[in-house]
Amino acid sequence: MVPWFEKAKKIWADSGRGKNDTLTNFAEDFYDALMVVFNKNREGRCQVLDLFLHRMGSVVTDDRVNVYIQEEAIRKMNTVLNQMSRDDRKRVLLSSEMQLLMSDFGKRILDAGDYNLQVAITESLCRMTSETRRRELASDWFPLEFVVDAFKRIKDSEFETRNKRIDKRIKDSEFETDCRRFLNQVNGMLGEKTSVSTFPCLEVFLDNCELQMPSDDKLEDSWIDFNVGSQSISFYVITEEDENEPMWETICLPEEDVESYTVEVKNEKKLLAVDMNIQIRIGNSEGNQIQIYFDLTLDIFNIVKKVYRSTKCKKPSVRDRISEVKTAVHVIFDGSSSQVLVAESQLSSPINKEAGSEKKSPRKTAWKDNELEQVTVHPPKAGFAYFVNSLFLHTH
């Protein structure tokens, strides 16, 4: 099957990064066939591990391949990794091909262009290495020390393999929380070059029905991911609850299913309204418009324009068309003192000029050009405590 795999990979690469349902379905069928071989017997398992595991990874690292095909590859790869025996791990994962793949995965996280793909790659790195080994290799995988430290803080745990594109699972809170912190730092560190921008949201509605966003004692905010690479917006909601844990569902709004969008100020909040050209169902609710409310200070218009293009904007807000002259990185601390980086381009110019009359926050220490600098910042409107402890690092 190796020649068939190489032919399939060439087709995926030559077809470009645009979404193609026929090729995506072909990829799903191909990987399902590999899993049949993997689960048949010991011989089939060894063939998949020795001949196809690193090849599946190479699809993920090839930026010519569509992100949905890459997501299918990494999902099946994580399934295989989850079922490997200890002897197989020693035999396969220490090979030169897999060691090189781990390094490539570290680089791929930086430009994956889709948050869920970033999570799946991070999961693979955690599955392929012990916690001790990750600590040794992290400095080789990532360029900045604080990103390395964030990766090292991801806890070992039993992962719930992501087998469906619309992902329903019992949340592994420890991994999900640590991974969110890590990826927010990675994407924020990239500034203007990031292909995934993440914003905390206040409320989300499907038509007139408010959606229940996941809560986490270790993360104060619910997050909306703007995925430039996959041209989609994604977020998590709770659709069911059992006696132990809530059931999370991944909601993805791809560009091809979007009719139009608007960004406007409403009730002293910034509202992003996305009109879909299809009826969508979330839990027991149905509708064709997603409404997401953000804090007034956030520059939603410029990032959604990168994801969905300006031609689909139905009523652009003049206030949101402010271009940023400087590039700055905001170092933000969440409730547990975990750093999160957000590019200044993700913050719009203040609309409410009265913000200057608010009380100043305590002084914080920030790093700038390898030196310590004391910075005093002014928090935005009351009620958005996430930015109260913001630190600004300006780059020239």
Side-chain angles (χ1 to χ4, degrees):
M1 290 181 66
V2 172
W4 283 102
F5 188 97
E6 295 299 333
K7 289 180 180 179
K9 182 182 175 182
K10 186 177 187 306
I11 292 173
W12 295 328
D14 291 345
S15 298
R17 300 175 64 177
K19 187 176 180 182
N20 184 310
D21 289 336
T22 300
L23 292 181
T24 301
N25 293 336
F26 168 55
E28 292 175 358
D29 293 341
F30 195 98
Y31 289 122
D32 285 343
L34 276 183
M35 293 306 298
V36 171
V37 175
F38 179 78
N39 291 318
K40 185 175 183 180
N41 51 39
R42 175 63 184 171
E43 181 182 359
R45 182 175 296 253
C46 289
Q47 286 181 353
V48 171
L49 292 176
D50 294 337
L51 299 177
F52 293 102
L53 189 61
H54 68 279
R55 287 184 166 88
M56 293 164 72
S58 70
V59 172
V60 179
T61 59
D62 190 338
D63 60 7
R64 298 173 299 170
V65 178
N66 173 260
V67 66
Y68 293 104
I69 295 175
Q70 293 180 330
E71 287 182 349
E72 186 62 28
I74 197 71
R75 275 193 290 267
K76 289 299 191 291
M77 187 172 178
N78 282 332
T79 300
V80 171
L81 290 169
N82 186 47
Q83 298 179 25
M84 289 178 68
S85 66
R86 181 171 297 182
D87 290 340
D88 286 336
R89 287 182 174 275
K90 292 179 180 179
R91 179 175 59 84
V92 176
L93 298 182
L94 293 178
S95 67
S96 58
E97 291 92 349
M98 293 305 296
Q99 293 297 308
L100 179 60
L101 180 62
M102 292 179 202
S103 179
D104 289 342
F105 270 9
K107 298 174 185 176
R108 183 60 177 147
I109 286 176
L110 302 181
D111 62 1
D114 183 270
Y115 179 79
N116 288 316
L117 180 59
Q118 288 180 311
V119 171
I121 295 173
T122 305
E123 180 181 334
S124 289
L125 285 174
C126 292
R127 287 186 183 277
M128 288 190 284
T129 55
S130 65
E131 189 171 352
T132 301
R133 185 61 175 156
R134 288 202 302 275
R135 290 179 176 273
E136 297 171 354
L137 295 174
S139 297
D140 297 330
W141 295 342
F142 306 107
L144 294 180
E145 189 60 33
F146 68 86
V147 176
V148 172
D149 291 340
F151 182 77
K152 290 179 179 179
R153 286 195 293 269
I154 298 176
K155 301 293 190 302
D156 271 329
S157 56
E158 293 297 323
F159 300 98
E160 190 72 24
T161 305
R162 295 155 172 80
N163 291 318
K164 298 181 180 180
R165 185 172 307 148
I166 299 299
D167 175 24
K168 292 185 177 180
R169 67 192 185 283
I170 297 297
K171 172 184 174 254
D172 181 334
S173 60
E174 197 167 43
F175 172 76
E176 295 286 352
T177 299
D178 292 344
C179 193
R180 168 60 73 181
R181 289 172 173 166
F182 164 65
L183 291 176
N184 278 7
Q185 287 193 353
V186 168
N187 294 324
M189 173 267 295
L190 294 172
E192 291 287 341
K193 296 180 179 179
T194 187
S195 55
V196 177
S197 295
T198 298
F199 294 94
C201 77
L202 302 176
E203 299 170 301
V204 180
F205 292 82
L206 173 59
D207 286 353
N208 295 321
C209 179
E210 183 173 4
L211 302 178
Q212 185 179 358
M213 304 295 287
S215 61
D216 190 329
D217 293 338
K218 297 179 181 179
L219 292 174
E220 292 183 354
D221 300 296
S222 299
W223 302 93
I224 306 296
D225 299 301
F226 293 81
N227 308 296
V228 177
S230 61
Q231 292 186 278
S232 66
I233 293 175
S234 60
F235 54 91
Y236 298 137
V237 298
I238 295 176
T239 55
E240 303 175 29
E241 293 197 36
D242 60 18
E243 296 179 355
N244 299 314
E245 290 283 351
M247 183 74 75
W248 284 26
E249 181 174 348
T250 302
I251 306 302
C252 183
L253 310 177
E255 189 269 344
E256 62 267 20
D257 292 339
V258 172
E259 182 70 30
S260 63
Y261 67 88
T262 59
V263 178
E264 59 184 330
V265 175
K266 185 176 182 180
N267 298 327
E268 296 188 356
K269 303 173 186 176
K270 192 160 291 185
L271 168 63
L272 167 62
V274 182
D275 293 307
M276 311 297 292
N277 55 32
I278 59 172
Q279 195 83 352
I280 58 176
R281 184 177 183 86
I282 302 176
N284 296 321
S285 303
E286 284 190 41
N288 61 3
Q289 185 184 71
I290 292 289
Q291 303 171 26
I292 310 175
Y293 287 88
F294 300 89
D295 186 84
L296 200 59
T297 58
L298 294 176
D299 181 10
I300 302 303
F301 179 72
N302 283 323
I303 185 58
V304 75
K305 185 169 60 174
K306 292 181 180 179
V307 175
Y308 290 152
R309 298 175 297 171
S310 58
T311 55
K312 291 200 173 185
C313 182
K314 189 162 57 177
K315 188 177 63 176
S317 170
V318 175
R319 290 171 176 172
D320 284 316
R321 286 188 247 167
I322 301 171
S323 60
E324 299 292 339
V325 177
K326 294 182 178 180
T327 298
V329 175
H330 297 257
V331 184
I332 301 169
F333 291 83
D334 64 20
S336 55
S337 298
S338 175
Q339 295 181 13
V340 180
L341 299 189
V342 180
E344 186 178 75
S345 59
Q346 296 178 15
L347 295 173
S348 61
S349 299
I351 296 177
N352 187 350
K353 299 299 183 180
E354 298 176 1
S357 64
E358 296 178 358
K359 295 181 180 179
K360 294 182 180 180
S361 66
R363 295 173 69 86
K364 298 292 181 180
T365 302
W367 281 265
K368 178 178 180 181
D369 296 329
N370 297 321
E371 296 179 353
L372 288 176
E373 171 185 283
Q374 292 293 328
V375 181
T376 301
V377 297
H378 298 263
K381 294 180 67 65
F384 193 50
Y386 177 82
F387 289 101
V388 169
N389 294 320
S390 297
L391 300 176
F392 302 125
L393 290 179
H394 291 274
T395 57
H396 300 284

